[in-house]
């Protein structure tokens, strides 16, 4: 029989992690704001939290921010979606077939390690400033975590578990559904967490170089106009999206793969 | 009595890539009667697990004749079940889902599975832990889940690879009694691998001693102690005599 639950904790004990994290953020913002009580403020070169907040509210109210984000979301969905499909498929083949991985490992590692964003202007030259050019940059940046993680996941499949299911009369289909997919899936989701960050970089870079709309373009344009409050507001929006996506995936991982907690 | 399971001249060599070959079994012979409880003791690495895997249908020997009920063995089947030395629990399945694995693979529905798994989970003393994952269990608990999983499908033949090795002495004694009860009421054929001579004598009709690798059958001891056996039997002179004989046979094979 199970024992009774642990003694009750107070509110601050239970949420200590979150509270301390929020406290640090608050101190950072307050310090930023306070610096300009002593240092002279010039809004052409710097900005401060209260101005950024005002700009953010205005950008949201006017619908500009939402429109830019919606525009950028389209190539992101295409590029990231393609990265999932291609990366997982390629990674599984590389994990399964030793020769394929011998052949492709070096070149993949080189690509993964190299600063691929440097190729962005080239991609834009070939594919234009539209959705396809941006989607390709996002794809190139976010595909590698899927490849490497799917490969590692396949390699980590425990032979013993395959044997267990086979010995109990499991079919090929059972091996996939009951052993291989549950072993590999957590690796792929962990890859997605890394890939999201790289994909968002892809979108910004793509729109910095050449674009006439989208959130990256908005950041670049506000920078050129010395409208730093609005520039920071857009950066803040991207930041929030990045945190929500990666933390969302982390949360989903914990909910979907509770057995990983012990690893 | 004709053997229910028989192995003749079984030879098996592992050929791992980039390393030298390992001869695991050499001219290995065995006969197991229907409903018999046979234990195997032998030095570590002599091929005991390997032979159980052969009987399970997971490894094909290089040569030799293996029959079950007169027919040559052809791959895995639900008439046999193994309690694996390394447990082999699926980490993403709860205790209950692990116990029910074989039933699920047979296509049995959830309610019917539960009806069978519940008493088994109770028997292994894990009531209340149905929803726990393997990483939340101790080694001994995991081993008992592996035992319940093998029993769930009610196989004719139980292959048990050191099934009680991870248990504390007291739980081990209780599990031994349970196993004998199941064996006697359900009339199963049991092939039991252990390093504990005492355990082998206490449980078995016969005990086989294997040579060091490459493993062969060295000697077989018939255990003529009356059944049902009780705990006190372990301190009788007959019991201790057998223990000594088997140890003498085994110790020459053990090199440290
Ligand atoms: N998959 C494998 N590849 C290569 N060699 C193997 C493999 N499995 C087992 N062996 C080798 O075969 C021999 C017999 O192994 P086995 O697991 O059958 O021993 P065992 O008698 O069960 O030992 P223990 O009592 O320690 O469990 C060992 O020398 C081992 O190194
Ligand atoms: Mg073994």
């Amino acid at each position: 029989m199970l024992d009774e639950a642990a003694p009750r904790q107070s509110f601050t004990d239970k949420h200590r992690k979150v509270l301390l994290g929020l406290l640090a953020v608050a101190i950072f913002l307050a310090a930023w704001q306070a610096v300009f009580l002593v240092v002279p403020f010039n809004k052409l070169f710097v900005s401060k939290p209260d101005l950024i907040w005002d700009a953010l509210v205005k950008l949201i109210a006017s619908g500009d921010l939402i429109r830019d984000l919606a525009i950028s979301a389209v190539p992101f969905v295409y590029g990231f979606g393609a990265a999932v499909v291609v990366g997982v498929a390629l990674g599984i083949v590389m994990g399964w077939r030793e020769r394929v991985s011998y052949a492709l490992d070096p070149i993949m590692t080189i690509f993964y390690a190299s600063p691929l964003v440097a190729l962005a202007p080239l991609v834009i030259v070939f594919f234009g400033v539209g959705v396809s050019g941006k989607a390709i940059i996002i794809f190139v940046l976010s595909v590698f975590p899927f490849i490497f993680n799917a490969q590692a996941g396949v390699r980590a499949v425990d032979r013993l578990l395959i044997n267990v299911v086979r010995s109990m009369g499991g079919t090929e289909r059972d091996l996939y559904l009951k052993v291989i997919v549950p072993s590999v899936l957590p690796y792929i989701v962990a890859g997605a967490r890394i890939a999201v960050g790289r994909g968002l970089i892809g979108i910004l870079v793509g729109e910095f170089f050449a674009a006439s709309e989208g959130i990256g373009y908005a950041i670049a344009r506000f920078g050129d106009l010395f409208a730093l409050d609005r520039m920071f507001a857009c950066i803040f929006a991207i930041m929030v999206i990045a945190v929500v996506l990666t933390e969302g995936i982390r949360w989903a991982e914990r909910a979907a793969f509770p057995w990983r907690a012990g690893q | 009595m004709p053997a229910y399971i028989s192995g003749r001249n079984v030879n098996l060599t592992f050929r791992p890539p980039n390393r030298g070959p390992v001869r695991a079994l050499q001219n290995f012979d065995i006969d197991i009667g229907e409903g018999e409880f046979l234990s195997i003791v032998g030095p570590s690495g002599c091929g005991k697990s390997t032979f159980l895997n052969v009987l399970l249908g997971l490894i094909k020997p290089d040569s030799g004749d293996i029959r079950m009920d007169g027919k040559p063995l052809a791959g895995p089947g639900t008439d046999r079940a193994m309690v694996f030395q390394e447990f082999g629990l699926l980490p993403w399945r709860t205790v209950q889902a692990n116990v029910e694995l074989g039933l699920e693979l047979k296509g049995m529905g959830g309610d019917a599975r539960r009806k069978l798994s519940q008493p088994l989970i109770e028997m292994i003393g894990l009531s209340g832990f149905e929803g726990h994952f393997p990483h939340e269990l101790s080694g001994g608990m995991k081993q008992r889940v592996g035992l319940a999983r093998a029993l769930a499908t009610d196989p004719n033949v139980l292959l048990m690879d050191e099934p009680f090795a991870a248990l504390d002495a007291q739980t081990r004694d209780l599990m031994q009694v349970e196993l004998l009860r199941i064996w006697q009421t359900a009339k199963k054929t049991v092939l039991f691998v252990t390093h504990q001579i005492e355990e082998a004598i206490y449980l078995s009709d016969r005990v086989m001693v294997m040579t060091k690798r490459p493993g062969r059958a060295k000697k077989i001891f018939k255990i003529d102690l009356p059944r049902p056996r009780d705990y006190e039997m372990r301190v009788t002179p007959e019991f201790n005599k057998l223990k000594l004989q088997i140890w003498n046979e085994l110790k020459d094979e053990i090199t440290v």
Side-chain angles (χ1 to χ4, degrees):
Chain A
M1 272 295 137
L2 297 179
D3 305 323
E4 284 311 302
R8 289 179 65 103
Q9 294 173 303
S10 73
F11 179 82
T12 40
D13 273 347
K14 230 160 68 190
H15 301 282
R16 196 172 44 181
K17 200 170 151 194
V18 177
L19 288 175
L20 284 175
L22 288 177
L23 183 68
V25 173
I27 290 175
F28 171 75
L29 290 176
W32 184 356
Q33 188 78 30
V35 166
F36 299 108
L37 297 176
V38 279
V39 180
F41 181 74
N42 179 343
K43 74 180 183 117
L44 291 183
F45 300 114
V46 286
S47 195
K48 49 186 186 174
D50 59 340
L51 295 180
I52 295 169
W53 182 254
D54 285 345
L56 184 65
V57 171
K58 278 190 200 120
L59 280 173
I60 292 172
S62 70
D64 287 349
L65 181 64
I66 309 296
R67 210 195 60 238
D68 280 324
L69 287 175
I71 285 164
S72 299
V74 175
F76 186 82
V77 168
Y78 286 133
F80 199 78
V84 174
V85 175
V86 174
V88 168
L90 196 56
I92 286 178
V93 174
M94 282 170 70
W96 221 238
R97 300 260 163 242
E98 211 158 49
R99 282 197 206 152
V100 179
S101 89
Y102 287 157
L104 296 185
D105 256 337
I107 192 162
M108 292 294 165
T109 308
I110 291 169
F111 277 133
Y112 187 46
S114 60
L116 287 171
V117 286
L119 297 180
L122 216 58
V123 173
I124 299 289
V125 167
F126 279 120
F127 297 96
V129 297
V131 169
S132 51
K134 294 189 214 169
I136 285 169
I137 295 173
I138 293 160
F139 169 81
V140 165
L141 279 171
S142 57
V143 73
F144 292 100
F146 287 109
I147 295 176
F148 287 110
N149 275 42
Q151 183 186 15
V154 170
R155 293 226 172 118
V157 171
D158 189 346
R159 290 291 315 176
L160 177 62
L161 302 185
I162 298 264
N163 280 341
V164 166
V165 172
R166 275 213 304 143
S167 77
M168 300 188 117
T171 59
E172 198 76 8
R173 199 180 121 87
D174 290 321
L175 292 185
Y176 274 95
L177 292 184
K178 299 197 193 303
V179 181
I180 297 172
V181 169
S183 319
V184 177
L185 209 53
Y187 282 83
I188 293 171
V189 176
R193 199 159 19 93
I194 303 165
V196 159
R198 292 172 62 95
L200 289 176
I201 293 174
I203 220 170
L204 296 184
V205 170
E207 292 179 346
F208 282 171
F209 279 109
S212 49
E213 46 188 4
I215 189 72
Y217 172 73
I219 291 172
R221 184 169 45 102
F222 289 137
D224 290 344
L225 295 175
F226 294 99
L228 294 190
D229 50 352
R230 275 175 286 169
M231 185 191 86
F232 273 113
C234 290
I235 292 175
F236 179 73
I238 282 281
M239 232 167 62
V240 168
I241 288 169
V243 170
V244 166
L245 285 178
T246 44
E247 285 306 304
I249 293 172
R250 204 190 289 279
W251 177 86
E253 276 180 283
R254 273 198 298 265
F257 316 127
W259 68 90
R260 306 269 300 175
Q263 294 175 1
Chain B
M1 177 165 83
Y4 184 54
I5 299 171
S6 72
R8 286 283 165 280
N9 267 313
V10 180
N11 287 285
L12 193 150
T13 303
F14 287 105
R15 300 176 200 284
N18 311 328
R19 259 165 294 153
V22 180
R23 298 198 76 152
L25 296 167
Q26 189 171 35
N27 300 330
F28 182 76
D29 286 320
I30 195 167
D31 281 305
I32 308 164
E34 185 157 17
E36 187 180 23
F37 198 123
L38 179 74
S39 288
I40 299 181
V41 296
S44 180
C46 75
K48 303 182 294 296
S49 300
T50 303
F51 183 67
L52 289 189
N53 277 313
V54 168
L55 276 191
L56 199 57
L58 288 180
I59 315 179
K60 257 194 154 30
D62 300 323
S63 65
D65 182 43
I66 295 168
R67 286 169 187 274
M68 199 174 141
D69 213 5
K71 294 179 285 286
L73 196 82
T78 46
D79 50 351
R80 288 150 281 153
M82 171 99 110
V83 182
F84 288 86
Q85 187 172 7
E86 281 115 9
F87 317 146
L89 305 183
L90 309 191
W92 41 87
R93 283 181 169 241
T94 60
V95 166
Q96 178 170 348
N98 264 296
V99 172
E100 293 176 0
L101 176 65
L103 304 172
E104 207 180 300
L105 291 169
K106 277 184 167 176
M108 188 182 280
D111 289 341
R113 295 202 302 258
R114 204 179 162 75
K115 228 174 242 142
L116 290 173
S117 67
Q118 215 47 50
L120 281 170
I121 291 173
E122 210 158 290
M123 184 206 93
I124 58 171
L126 286 186
S127 303
F129 288 90
E130 289 88 347
H132 283 226
F133 288 99
H135 79 263
E136 299 171 303
L137 306 178
S138 72
M141 291 160 103
K142 285 184 216 170
Q143 193 153 43
R144 283 178 275 158
V145 175
L147 175 66
R149 177 178 67 187
L151 291 171
T153 49
D154 195 24
N156 286 336
V157 179
L158 265 178
L159 306 171
M160 309 184 79
D161 202 351
E162 305 185 34
F164 302 148
L167 303 187
D168 61 278
Q170 289 75 35
T171 311
R172 176 186 272 237
D173 291 341
L174 293 176
M175 285 290 135
Q176 288 170 351
V177 172
E178 272 308 317
L179 176 60
L180 283 183
R181 188 185 61 73
I182 290 164
W183 168 68
Q184 260 157 346
T185 53
K187 306 235 179 314
K188 296 190 185 304
T189 305
V190 180
L191 187 56
F192 190 98
V193 168
T194 178
H195 282 289
Q196 276 215 334
I197 297 173
E198 202 170 301
E199 178 173 71
I201 300 171
Y202 176 65
L203 294 173
S204 309
D205 296 322
R206 290 186 300 154
V207 176
M208 172 194 278
V209 177
M210 277 178 76
T211 64
K212 60 174 173 281
R213 191 177 63 80
R216 275 183 300 106
K218 187 179 185 196
K219 190 157 181 172
I220 291 185
F221 293 86
K222 199 154 170 36
I223 312 298
D224 276 325
L225 302 171
R227 291 185 190 269
R229 295 181 184 165
D230 52 22
Y231 198 82
E232 283 83 65
M233 182 168 279
R234 300 180 191 218
V235 292
T236 58
E238 297 94 308
F239 194 99
N240 282 318
K241 203 175 125 205
L242 277 166
K243 204 169 143 185
L244 192 65
Q245 285 174 341
I246 293 174
W247 166 244
N248 280 331
E249 210 59 55
L250 185 59
K251 72 167 192 268
D252 300 335
E253 303 298 325
I254 296 171
T255 44
V256 188

